[in-house]
């Protein structure tokens, strides 16, 4: 048993993910409703769940309209997002479990981008919103570097072949920055070339995988000697904070 993930490109650079299994569907971070409803009709599927990672409008903007069309859909979000996610009825804590299509996923509390951010880990699939990006990570709007390091540490421990379904197409820009601070990383240099070509050809770079991110994403590489040298720091939180600060100015 497995669900199929459909990736919808919406707004400027957001991705919405529709999970489909035999007539039922779930959606992750519906920024807008209309393309989701079109997809559900095309699939002939009924929406049973909305999985939100955090309260930002480009992740929950479609909740109300989807609920109007599919009133029985259940809206999941982090417990600490209570009052910030439209229609939310399930308030998830770290290590809570959710199911879709007969598959059980685990909720990971990953604060940093926002104080309530969660990720959904199903076997082989990670839906991580704006916490881990392909080649980067979310800005720290409501959290500290140390929280983000803890959050990313959890994601970094997932199996290497886990698909990383992040919510934005930011890979090319992220890698442009990454090569400036990790210039001797051959895996990163190779990936940068591949991603440049993909974006020239308008090919989405999502999903990535945990293995690829561990090898090339500077925000998961606080223990790499190269990044410790560049940041002149050795302690994880400080290496990370330095890289985040440099990226914010890039
Ligand atoms: Zn966000
Ligand atoms: Fe976002």
């Amino acid at each position: 048993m497995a669900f199929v993930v459909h990736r919808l490109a919406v707004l400027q650079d957001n991705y919405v993910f529709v999970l489909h299994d035999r007539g039922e569907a779930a959606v992750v971070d519906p920024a807008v409703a209309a393309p989701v409803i079109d997809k559900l009709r095309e699939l002939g599927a009924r929406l049973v769940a909305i999985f939100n990672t955090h309260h930002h409008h480009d992740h929950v903007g479609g909740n109300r309209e989807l609920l109007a069309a599919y009133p029985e859909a259940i809206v999941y979000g982090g417990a600490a997002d209570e009052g910030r996610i439209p229609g939310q009825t399930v308030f998830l804590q770290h290590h809570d479990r959710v199911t879709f299509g007969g598959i059980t996923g685990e909720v990971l509390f990953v604060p940093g981008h926002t104080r309530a951010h969660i990720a959904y880990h199903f076997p082989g699939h990670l839906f991580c919103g704006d916490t881990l990006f392909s080649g980067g990570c979310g800005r720290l709007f409501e959290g500290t570097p140390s929280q983000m390091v803890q959050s990313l540490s959890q994601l970094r421990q997932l199996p290497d072949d886990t698909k990383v379904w992040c919510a934005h197409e930011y890979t090319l820009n992220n890698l442009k920055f990454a090569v400036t601070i990790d210039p001797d990383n051959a895996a990163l240099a190779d990936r940068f070339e591949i991603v440049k070509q993909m974006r020239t050809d308008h090919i989405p770079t999502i999903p990535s995988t945990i293995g690829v991110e561990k090898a090339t994403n500077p925000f998961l590489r606080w223990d790499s000697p190269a990044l410790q040298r560049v940041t002149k720091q050795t302690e994880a939180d400080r290496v990370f904070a330095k890289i985040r600060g440099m990226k914010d100015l890039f």
Side-chain angles (χ1 to χ4, degrees):
M1 262 194 301
F3 51 71
V4 174
V5 182
H6 298 270
R7 175 195 55 227
L8 309 181
V10 304
L11 305 178
Q12 185 96 330
D13 50 37
N14 276 83
Y15 288 123
V16 175
F17 304 112
V18 174
L19 284 46
H20 178 223
D21 178 69
R22 294 165 302 171
E24 292 197 339
V27 63
V28 180
D29 283 354
V32 288
V36 176
I37 291 172
D38 288 349
K39 190 72 192 175
L40 294 170
R41 293 202 174 129
E42 178 196 319
L43 295 168
R46 184 172 64 90
L47 187 69
V48 298
I50 298 175
F51 295 120
N52 291 124
T53 63
H54 67 296
H55 74 291
H56 285 159
H57 192 71
D58 62 315
H59 298 255
V60 306
N63 278 22
R64 285 280 178 221
E65 208 180 319
L66 285 171
L67 279 174
Y70 300 93
E72 67 284 9
I74 295 169
V75 181
Y76 298 84
D81 258 334
E82 181 156 12
R84 305 203 295 187
I85 293 180
Q88 182 179 3
T89 52
V90 181
F91 301 87
L92 297 165
Q93 312 262 10
H94 193 45
H95 294 322
D96 275 352
R97 299 194 179 264
V98 294
T99 60
F100 173 71
I103 311 278
T104 300
E106 184 182 24
V107 172
L108 300 171
F109 182 50
V110 287
H113 176 65
T114 69
R115 60 179 170 77
H117 203 301
I118 58 171
Y120 299 88
H121 175 228
F122 291 91
H125 302 277
L126 172 69
F127 299 96
C128 50
D130 290 354
T131 296
L132 174 62
F133 286 133
S134 168
C137 77
R139 281 177 188 260
L140 302 178
F141 287 122
E142 297 179 350
T144 63
S146 140
Q147 277 179 327
M148 195 57 143
V149 166
Q150 268 203 39
S151 296
L152 293 171
S153 297
Q154 295 179 60
L155 304 184
R156 201 172 73 157
Q157 286 164 29
L158 299 176
D160 278 359
D161 60 356
T162 307
K163 290 192 168 78
V164 176
W165 301 95
C166 58
H168 290 271
E169 180 60 65
Y170 287 161
T171 313
L172 181 58
N173 255 314
N174 286 337
L175 296 186
K176 278 181 187 163
F177 167 71
V179 294
T180 67
I181 58 162
D182 199 7
D184 300 325
N185 181 338
L188 171 58
D190 288 351
R191 188 181 183 205
F192 186 38
E193 292 309 314
I194 292 167
V195 164
K196 274 196 275 191
Q197 191 58 51
M198 286 174 87
R199 294 314 292 153
T200 302
D201 298 339
H202 305 288
I203 297 170
T205 63
I206 306 307
S208 176
T209 65
I210 290 292
V212 166
E213 294 310 314
K214 275 159 57 181
T216 61
N217 187 333
F219 294 98
L220 294 184
R221 293 170 51 72
W222 51 78
D223 34 26
S224 112
L227 291 175
Q228 294 187 355
R229 214 176 313 119
V230 164
T231 55
K232 301 188 178 68
Q233 303 291 335
T234 51
E235 199 258 321
D237 296 358
R238 286 168 185 262
V239 175
F240 175 88
K242 198 77 188 276
I243 299 171
R244 188 61 261 177
M246 292 162 84
K247 175 66 166 61
D248 289 342
L249 297 173
F250 182 70

